[in-house]
Amino acid sequence: MDDLAALIARVMDERGWTLTTLARRSGVSTSTIHSWKSGDRATGSRGPSPALLRKFAEGAGLTVAEVFEAAGRTIPAPMDDESERRFLHLFRSLDTEDRKVVEATMQAMSERQKS
């Protein structure tokens, strides 16, 4: 298993890409990828954001699971379109205060999975 820095180096080596090429293809800034590659994963208080990791995976031609594993993040469980639609429908039906409660609960659950 690669860590994130090794994964980036491997992708660049295998494809003959520069850091700039990898950044352009993935839509993640060169400085962010450089910080990941140099081992400074603290590009936020909790490390690489899931959204950036997903963009990086797509641009690098890797699976989300491979990138999340390399970054030491919990691999997101797949969600089919129908489940996502139902979830969003229920979430949108809540008032503002209840949405805040749901968001805080989900944040706490996400944080618990990281430890």
Side-chain angles (χ1 to χ4, degrees):
M1 173 186 97
D2 291 331
D3 67 6
L4 190 55
L7 181 65
I8 292 167
R10 181 171 59 83
V11 166
M12 291 172 60
D13 184 57
E14 287 176 358
R15 291 168 176 78
W17 291 351
T18 64
L19 197 64
T20 303
T21 301
L22 184 53
R24 183 178 39 78
R25 293 180 70 92
S26 66
V28 176
S29 74
T30 303
S31 62
T32 295
I33 295 175
H34 180 270
S35 71
W36 294 350
K37 189 173 185 284
S38 67
D40 176 22
R41 291 199 227 163
T43 55
S45 61
R46 297 177 186 97
S49 78
L52 288 179
L53 291 173
R54 281 186 179 88
K55 286 175 69 173
F56 175 78
E58 184 176 332
L62 302 168
T63 66
V64 170
E66 184 177 13
V67 173
F68 272 61
E69 183 178 356
R73 300 290 298 243
T74 301
I75 299 169
M79 179 181 275
D80 61 72
D81 291 343
E82 180 59 23
S83 295
E84 185 174 2
R85 187 196 64 73
R86 283 194 317 268
F87 178 83
L88 288 173
H89 175 75
L90 290 169
F91 185 77
R92 288 178 180 138
S93 71
L94 301 174
D95 64 28
T96 302
E97 288 304 309
D98 285 342
R99 285 182 184 186
K100 289 178 183 177
V101 170
V102 170
E103 185 176 352
T105 302
M106 292 175 70
Q107 184 66 41
M109 292 169 75
S110 177
E111 291 300 318
R112 188 186 76 222
Q113 286 186 5
K114 293 177 197 171
S115 49

